[in-house]
Amino acid sequence: MKIAVLGSGAMGSVFGGLLAEHSQDVVLIDTWKEHIDAINKNGLHLEGIGGDRFINVKGVSSADEIKDHVDLVIVFVKSPFTESAVKGASHIIGENTMIMTLQNGLGNAEKIAEITGSSRIIVGITNNGATLIEPGHVRHAGSGETVISPFDGEVSHRINEIAQILTEAGLPTKVSDEVVGLVWDKLMVNVGINALTAVLKVPNGYLVEHGSSEKLLEYAVREAEKICKAKGIQLKHDPVQHCKDVARATAANYSSMYQDVAKKRITEIDYINGAVVNEGRKLGIPTPVNEVFVLLIKALEEGY
Ligand code: NAD
């Protein structure tokens, strides 16, 4: 299958690298030229799960370097860049191209649909974790299930085929026709952990080791839970308990929002706590704690 990974940082490199290693025709697209140059010179240096090795995979720093339509585009830019990235790659998206987003937060599939139409979009979540070490060098830090679903419409043989290809590449993937609950389950974890760790400048575990931060986590997640209830979304876990469990299980990790703030990069706040605030406004549910989290992160971003 001809696959383009749009945004080949930590997660894009893991997915693209593993797919290339398992005989798929992959091209990594990333505007970070140093990273792409290192991949083209030495191969993609992947370590962690699966071992330390160099994978032979092609990279380009602009989608303009690709002339033909591909079968699948996997979108792995951070959420604020979804729209510009997909617009910049629209010439490789033909009428038979599937577009898959496993990004965190809410609203990415909707943004993509405005550009490509909704019928070929696959939406999902992944419990894999990855970290960028240096240009061309990524750690596959955690493995877990990926669940994908059609964004609009029914499960097709093409989605099943994509799940099979991912699974064969070492990324176990399930197809579901009801991914909304899973997306919100994952969102809850990000709502409770990301902004707080970024503002407090602490690793995930700190939040559950200290009473005040634990309360803040709880308040933010309970607000989001009210929105789920109002929307009739079934969560798989008690969201507060789940969020705390994840904070404990990843105690030494620094969240992606912490890392974005540390590197003075625009964060995914609008798609995580900001999405909760927006949904709350539409439903008339107050979300004051999430609103404060959004403003604190924006205040940090404005100081870059
Ligand atoms: P990342 O910052 O490591 O990678 C994103 C890459 O996109 C960067 O290398 C950047 O240069 C590139 N980019 C930006 N604009 C672009 C454009 N217009 N065209 C092409 N490339 C562009 O981010 P990540 O950690 O890989 O996360 C990607 C998504 O996956 C996010 O939504 C994140 O929340 C989600 N996610 C991450 C993890 C994780 O463990 N890292 C786990 C699950 C989900």
Side-chain angles (χ1 to χ4, degrees), residues 160-180:
N160 287 321
E161 189 191 351
I162 288 163
Q164 191 185 338
I165 285 169
L166 289 167
T167 303
E168 283 167 6
L171 296 158
T173 302
K174 223 171 68 180
V175 178
S176 156
D177 56 2
E178 207 358 284
V179 86
V180 179

Side-chain angles (χ1 to χ4, degrees), residues 95-168:
E95 57 183 34
N96 292 317
T97 306
M98 305 292 285
I99 308 114
M100 179 167 82
T101 163
L102 302 174
Q103 296 156 286
N104 281 331
L106 294 186
N108 285 298
E110 287 79 357
K111 282 243 160 78
I112 298 168
E114 281 169 19
I115 302 161
T116 67
S118 58
S119 62
R120 287 161 296 125
I121 297 178
I122 300 172
V123 64
I125 58 121
T126 181
N127 290 313
N128 284 278
T131 314
L132 254 164
I133 314 280
E134 59 183 352
H137 184 183
V138 169
R139 179 182 302 131
H140 187 188
S143 67
E145 194 174 53
T146 298
V147 185
I148 58 175
S149 169
F151 174 58
D152 178 16
E154 287 171 9
V155 170
S156 66
H157 75 279
R158 299 194 62 202
I159 295 186
N160 287 321
E161 189 191 351
I162 288 163
Q164 191 185 338
I165 285 169
L166 289 167
T167 303
E168 283 167 6

